[in-house]
Amino acid sequence: MKFNLAIAGAVLPSIAMGFPQMMGGSREDMMKMLQERAAEEKLAKREPQILSGVTSVLSTVVNDVRGLLGSVAEGILNPDDKRPESGYTFQAPGPNDSRGPCPGLNLLANYGYLPRDGYVNYGQVLEATARGFNMGTDLATVLAVFAILADGDLATESWYLGAGPGNVGGLNRHSTVEADISPHREDYYTGCGNNHAVSSRLVKQSVALAAAGSGKYDMALMAQQYAKNADFSKQYNPFLYAFPFPQIVSLGAFAFYPNFFSNGTYGSGGVPNYESISSIVGWQLDESTGEFEYVPEKWPENWYRRSTPYGAVEALTDAYTQIYPSNIVIPGASTLLTPNFNVTNLLCDLYQGINSITPLFISGTEEDVASAVSWALGKLDPVLGIGALGCPSDTLSPDEADILFPSASATGGPINSPSAQASNAGNNVYSKVYFAAAPTAPACSAGAP
């Protein structure tokens, strides 16, 4: 895929803060550049006006949703891309089925493309994401490898979609694969441990943006949603910790909406419409209250997956050129930033930095860590190594502590998250309204959902 290297270099400052000595510039220079860019973006940002005042909030939400209904996929659709396929039927998850913050994986388990109990392995996820959404193998591999390292079991190459046994591990684990600044889920801190249920107030926000704009959940809307969510996190989440891999997942999630959840191929006749997004992500409007309930994720009627694979380079290019510039969030880490920096370099840096990442998530002997490093590099090499993107085969020294995750043990870091109400860290509970109001303080009060 071709993309403008100058643009990519300009909009990838999130990974350039930790190692100014490797960039030919100082940290102060980088901070100045980021501040100037943030000021430019603020001046350039134009947001639609949100209806208010004359009509009630309830009628506004209901009317907005009704106005978004009815759009369908356009153009020529391949019958082979219709989902679900024969033999795969929807079944709502039971109380012991693990579901978490990734709506796409939850949906695939609800139809049996993945095990319905939510305990999945590497091979199953690569096959299911390709078959269900046409996710590129390289993108699925990167996401799956980090899910296993951070949240799963290396011996079986498996993990839980939500919480693991005893609420240990699984994708609900904060700041590993799951990240703050989600499209429609609250942060771990402000949600008091609930980083996996759909937030009614964030759905209302995106519905209002859609109603005032194009009426579609396209990349422009998702950039606006990201900008607002990032502003909220900056203001109310003192533990916001945007280090590289979770930030990549966070930004990618906004790009996934139009590129994976559209009815048809986005940009080639497909429509990221309300019906598709709401059904796949899992929300349903209660017109009597104007709030959105979290319901099991499912495909809408007559839904077609994208016809071409969407891979790692495309996802990161979209995330960092169309989503991230709307609200720059400076992390405490970096890889290289040069005039020739591009998304391929970012993927290679993650590949090379695996020696530094793995020890954060694996306890045991040096032999255990060495085994985990070898396993991860073996999985990533076919898609990110010399034979694919052309990444160098050598790896960064594990002695360069915190090269990708500085202050990992600081409060809010990946191995020292703030405490949260235990009941909120478990698996998803559906048919409830979560976060009708903005959680400007942790929602840990008695009776909070």
Side-chain angles (χ1 to χ4, degrees):
M1 177 179 179
K2 296 181 179 179
F3 52 92
N4 188 305
L5 298 182
I7 293 177
V11 298
L12 286 169
S14 72
I15 53 176
M17 294 304 298
F19 296 92
Q21 72 275 14
M22 301 175 71
M23 297 166 9
S26 69
R27 190 181 183 90
E28 289 71 23
D29 290 339
M30 182 56 61
M31 286 294 296
K32 182 179 179 181
M33 183 273 286
L34 289 169
Q35 291 168 353
E36 290 174 349
R37 181 165 181 81
E40 292 171 359
E41 293 296 341
K42 185 174 182 180
L43 289 173
K45 189 176 356 179
R46 296 290 185 269
E47 296 184 348
Q49 296 297 311
I50 305 303
L51 299 176
S52 61
V54 178
T55 57
S56 69
V57 173
L58 172 58
S59 63
T60 297
V61 172
V62 173
N63 289 335
D64 282 351
V65 168
R66 289 175 177 173
L68 296 174
L69 296 175
S71 56
V72 295
E74 302 166 350
I76 299 174
L77 296 171
N78 185 345
D80 292 338
D81 287 328
K82 188 175 182 180
R83 294 295 181 270
E85 300 165 277
S86 176
Y88 293 90
T89 58
F90 174 78
Q91 179 180 310
N96 296 319
D97 293 332
S98 185
R99 299 291 188 272
C102 180
L105 294 181
N106 291 346
L107 178 149
L108 292 170
N110 291 345
Y111 282 89
Y113 282 84
L114 289 172
R116 293 185 185 273
D117 64 1
Y119 185 55
V120 304
N121 66 41
Y122 175 85
Q124 292 168 342
V125 168
L126 262 62
E127 179 181 359
T129 53
R131 192 165 183 174
F133 291 102
N134 218 340
M135 177 179 284
T137 300
D138 57 349
L139 178 57
T141 296
V142 171
L143 297 175
V145 165
F146 279 88
I148 294 167
L149 282 175
D151 304 321
D153 177 62
L154 188 65
T156 58
E157 299 185 358
S158 60
W159 71 93
Y160 286 87
L161 298 185
N167 290 341
V168 176
L171 294 187
N172 284 0
R173 184 184 181 199
H174 177 51
S175 283
T176 51
V177 175
E178 179 278 332
D180 289 331
I181 314 180
S182 165
H184 291 100
R185 289 166 168 78
E186 301 291 346
D187 287 359
Y188 180 87
Y189 174 75
T190 53
C192 194
N194 187 343
N195 54 3
H196 44 93
V198 168
S199 166
S200 180
R201 70 105 183 173
L202 289 178
V203 175
K204 287 185 285 187
Q205 175 181 283
S206 71
V207 165
L209 289 171
S214 69
K216 300 175 182 178
Y217 279 73
D218 52 21
M219 204 70 77
L221 180 144
M222 296 312 298
Q224 290 179 319
Q225 181 80 347
Y226 168 77
K228 287 180 172 293
N229 292 3
D231 276 341
F232 185 87
S233 294
K234 288 176 180 178
Q235 182 173 0
Y236 296 110
N237 183 359
F239 298 106
L240 179 62
Y241 197 81
F243 52 94
F245 188 74
Q247 186 178 59
I248 288 171
V249 178
S250 168
L251 292 168
F254 288 84
F256 288 177
Y257 272 61
N259 282 292
F260 283 130
F261 301 160
S262 290
N263 197 346
T265 301
Y266 181 57
S268 301
V271 177
N273 53 13
Y274 176 87
E275 288 96 332
S276 295
I277 301 300
S278 61
S279 184
I280 290 173
V281 179
W283 73 67
Q284 177 177 281
L285 175 64
D286 182 344
E287 292 196 0
S288 67
T289 64
E291 298 296 340
F292 291 87
E293 294 181 342
Y294 181 26
V295 296
E297 299 88 344
K298 64 189 301 186
W299 279 307
E301 294 294 326
N302 298 314
W303 188 87
Y304 293 77
R305 70 170 190 174
R306 59 180 294 118
S307 60
T308 58
Y310 184 69
V313 172
E314 292 91 344
L316 286 175
T317 300
D318 285 342
Y320 278 99
T321 62
Q322 299 195 59
I323 302 299
Y324 186 64
S326 67
N327 197 328
I328 292 172
V329 179
I330 303 172
S334 76
T335 59
L336 303 179
L337 180 66
T338 71
N340 294 321
F341 193 88
N342 57 49
V343 171
T344 298
N345 289 357
L346 173 57
L347 289 169
C348 289
D349 287 341
L350 290 175
Y351 168 69
Q352 289 181 286
I354 193 71
N355 277 341
S356 300
I357 299 168
T358 303
L360 295 182
F361 309 127
I362 296 178
S363 60
T365 65
E366 291 181 4
E367 290 78 10
D368 293 331
V369 173
S371 175
V373 170
S374 297
W375 170 85
L377 292 176
K379 293 293 186 184
L380 293 174
D381 185 70
V383 296
L384 301 183
I386 294 176
L389 295 180
C391 301
S393 59
D394 60 312
T395 59
L396 299 170
S397 169
D399 295 331
E400 297 180 59
D402 284 347
I403 194 165
L404 292 181
F405 295 94
S407 305
S409 61
T411 301
I415 57 176
N416 190 14
S417 295
S419 60
Q421 186 171 321
S423 62
N424 285 338
N427 286 307
N428 291 348
V429 178
Y430 295 96
S431 301
K432 294 178 62 177
V433 172
Y434 293 89
F435 305 105
T440 54
C444 298
S445 59

